[in-house]
Each structure stands twice: as structure tokens, then as C-alpha cells.
Amino acid sequence: MADLSSLAQGIVSGSISVIDLTAPLNPETPVLVLPEPWGQTAKFSSTEISNYDERGPWWYWNNFSTGEHTGTHLDAPNHWVSGKDLDDVSQIPPQRLVGPAVVLDFVAHTQADPDFLLDVTHIKEWEAKHGKLPAHGWVLFRTGWSSRGNAQDTFLNADETGPHTPGLSIAAANYLAHETDILGLGVETVGTDAGQAFGFETPFPCHANLMGANKYGLTQLRNLDKLPTTGAVVIAAPLKIEKGSGSPTRVLALVSK
Ligand code: 23J
Ligand code: MN
């Protein structure tokens, strides 16, 4: 039987730390902007219902509204046409929201080139050093992009040719989707695909391949620098929105000190 009491004790004593990989959700949280004529997602917004006042003397609460894909969020398989008959976000088995995580650190490459694309050779070199990508695990692509914070312009890094943010090559997206048994791909950027991926020969290859292979995306992750290369456990908890294509998600990592 698994020893949950030592896990609990580790969390209580601090020998296992709980790292929050989630970006704060507020009206400034960056959102994806797609080229014309495609529809746009909404930013997060909130309106006060009462604040210990005449509208509710003893309570404070708000109504919020947001896109499903705003801030740190999970892409469900049905988000893409390739996965349209697969799970919506409410149908994802909870066992598939928790798994071992590995970190692929390409901060240096991304600093040299904001359009850096992770390719199959990078993944294979990483696997030669650190072992196979874990079955039922999260692959976390560390680019340092989260240090650009909550400002839409620096985060999207767009010019007249569109956004310039790192992502995966078509071949790498294919490899993760079809040659591995991972849960999904987590990134620091606004979406799993590169900023320029709208113009790739296979547009948005991460979305097309991962969703079609019943895998997930996790975006706008923070604190990946606080994780070991291997050995963390990541828990992603999206809202159980029926028919939802995704949801803002609290993403937590357990790390043994
Ligand atoms: C729709 C179309 C393209 C993209 C996306 C959504 C996302 O990045 C997303 O949040 O799923 S690239
Ligand atoms: Mn998304």
C-alpha cells in the first residue's frame, strides 16, 4: 500500500514543498490575441456583489467572468478539432490530472531567440541525459518567459508579423503526441504553440497533435525554476465546466527537499 502518511508528514514538516506554478488572475493577466478574422478570448474581470456593506453587511463576494483559456489554464482534448469527440474539461479522469513532471530547460536558447522552437533532437538529447519522458507525466518546457510578468505587450512580444514567443516544431509536437505516453505539455507562454505557429505548415501543431492524441496543455506556468529536472509531482485542477474546452487552473507541484 502506498505510504500516504509519509507524504502528509512531509508536507506538514516542510520536507516536501508545495510550489505554486499558477500565475495570478486579474484584469491585466495576458491573453492570447489571434489574427483577423478569428474570434478573441476575454480577459478576466470581476464585479463586486457586496463588500460588508448595505448589499451584504457580513460578507464580501464577486461575480467574475473570463475566457476558458485566460491565464494559467488547461487545454482539454475537445479544444481542438482533432480531439472534438474526446474529453471536455469536466470529463478528464482526475487520475490524469496528477503525475510526475520533468523540466526541459531552454532558457538560454529562448533568450538568444524568442521564436526558439524545441525540436525532436533537443528532446532526444534531453532523454539521453535524464531518461525517457515519463509515462503519465507532465513535460514542462522552461523558457524563462514567465519573468515577463503580467504585461500583455512584453508577454505577447508582438510586432507587425505577429507574436514572437517560443514553442515546439511540428516534428516535436508530433513526437510528444504520438511517440510518448505523457499527460501533456506545460509552458510558460500564453499558449502551448509558438507565437508564429498560426503560419506553420501545420498551423498550431501542439494543439492539433496533443489534443488529437488525448493529451493536455498547461499554459502560463510560473516558478518552473523552482522545480528539479525530474522528481516533482504536478497536480492540475481545472474547473469542472461541462462541455468546457479548458479552464483556468491551479497548478501545484510537490517537490522533495
Ligand atoms: C485557439 C487558437 C489558437 C491557440 C489557442 C486557442 C491557445 O493558445 C489556447 O489557449 O488554447 S494558440
Ligand atoms: Mn488554451
Side-chain angles (χ1 to χ4, degrees):
M1 204 182 72
D3 192 354
L4 277 182
S5 64
S6 76
L7 171 62
Q9 187 49 41
I11 291 167
V12 172
S13 71
S15 68
I16 295 171
S17 31
V18 182
I19 315 248
D20 198 344
L21 306 186
T22 319
L25 204 44
N26 62 47
E28 280 79 52
T29 301
V31 295
L32 179 76
V33 177
L34 289 169
E36 289 281 327
W38 293 325
Q40 305 298 341
T41 191
K43 292 202 147 214
F44 178 86
S45 72
S46 178
T47 57
E48 204 170 77
I49 308 169
S50 72
N51 191 358
Y52 325 117
D53 54 23
E54 64 289 349
R55 298 168 300 172
W58 299 310
W59 53 92
Y60 164 67
W61 56 348
N62 304 294
N63 290 314
F64 68 82
S65 111
T66 179
E68 291 175 333
H69 296 254
T70 296
T72 302
H73 71 271
L74 181 139
D75 295 337
N78 74 333
H79 176 42
W80 219 254
V81 63
S82 51
K84 69 181 171 54
D85 298 320
L86 302 177
D87 286 346
D88 70 43
V89 71
S90 76
Q91 294 169 325
I92 296 173
Q95 189 244 5
R96 285 177 52 80
L97 293 171
V98 181
V102 296
V103 180
L104 278 58
D105 184 341
F106 285 85
V107 174
H109 292 70
T110 304
Q111 276 169 354
D113 175 15
D115 290 309
F116 170 69
L117 299 180
L118 188 74
D119 209 345
V120 178
T121 53
H122 297 117
I123 301 175
K124 289 200 166 149
E125 278 167 25
W126 187 95
E127 287 188 310
K129 256 200 203 151
H130 303 287
K132 279 234 153 277
L133 298 180
H136 196 109
W138 296 105
V139 171
L140 306 179
F141 179 37
R142 188 179 159 215
T143 56
W145 211 260
S146 66
S147 69
R148 291 171 176 252
N150 246 23
Q152 178 90 5
D153 54 345
T154 50
F155 205 74
L156 297 194
N157 196 35
D159 60 17
E160 59 289 344
T161 62
H164 295 277
T165 59
L168 269 62
S169 71
I170 295 173
N174 250 301
Y175 180 82
L176 287 189
H178 305 297
E179 308 292 330
T180 79
D181 202 15
I182 63 168
L183 292 171
L185 170 70
V187 300
E188 294 183 46
T189 44
V190 77
T192 55
D193 269 298
Q196 291 287 301
F198 64 89
F200 287 5
E201 197 178 320
T202 305
F204 308 113
C206 279
H207 285 81
N209 286 287
L210 291 170
M211 313 291 78
N214 197 34
K215 293 178 168 67
Y216 317 123
L218 287 175
T219 66
Q220 266 185 69
L221 298 174
R222 293 221 172 155
N223 294 322
L224 295 187
D225 57 320
K226 301 196 172 68
L227 303 186
T229 303
T230 64
V233 171
V234 162
I235 303 156
L239 299 179
K240 202 166 178 167
I241 303 169
E242 290 195 338
K243 300 199 171 81
S245 70
S247 163
T249 296
R250 196 68 180 258
V251 185
L252 302 175
L254 303 181
V255 175
S256 182
K257 284 191 195 155

